Amino acid sequence: MEKDKVERTVVHVELFADNSHHYFGSLAAIFEKLNKEQIGITYGSLRNYGLSANKPYKNKLCVIRKGTLITIPKKQAKNR
């Protein structure tokens, strides 16, 4: 028996200052680790921007991309 595949949103933040890459499950999660000075935008402004797979956000400090995490279905034990 296979469990239905669940698509998950992933938000990729690339910081130009140190060429680092960070991956988050939501826009709000970004601001738990990074602050507006590091990425050059506030949470509210980023929400209003309308980030999507076809519309990444970019400024002089970073680029923020939104996508879908691709997974395969998990097989479940028969006696569950």
Side-chain angles (χ1 to χ4, degrees), residues 15-35:
L15 297 176
F16 300 140
D18 60 359
N19 196 34
S20 62
H21 298 261
H22 306 270
Y23 301 88
F24 301 95
S26 68
L27 295 181
I30 295 170
F31 294 88
E32 292 293 316
K33 178 169 173 127
L34 304 171
N35 60 47

Side-chain angles (χ1 to χ4, degrees), residues 1-3 74-80:
M1 174 182 241
E2 290 187 0
K3 188 176 183 178
K74 290 183 178 182
K75 292 184 179 181
Q76 291 183 338
K78 291 181 181 179
N79 295 334
R80 281 194 174 184

Side-chain angles (χ1 to χ4, degrees), residues 47-79:
R47 279 187 52 199
N48 291 338
Y49 178 76
L51 189 70
S52 71
N54 297 325
K55 186 180 172 189
Y57 172 80
K58 186 174 182 179
N59 63 21
K60 64 182 180 179
L61 299 176
C62 72
V63 60
I64 302 173
R65 299 176 180 94
K66 186 175 185 180
T68 303
L69 183 64
I70 300 168
T71 62
I72 58 172
K74 290 183 178 182
K75 292 184 179 181
Q76 291 183 338
K78 291 181 181 179
N79 295 334

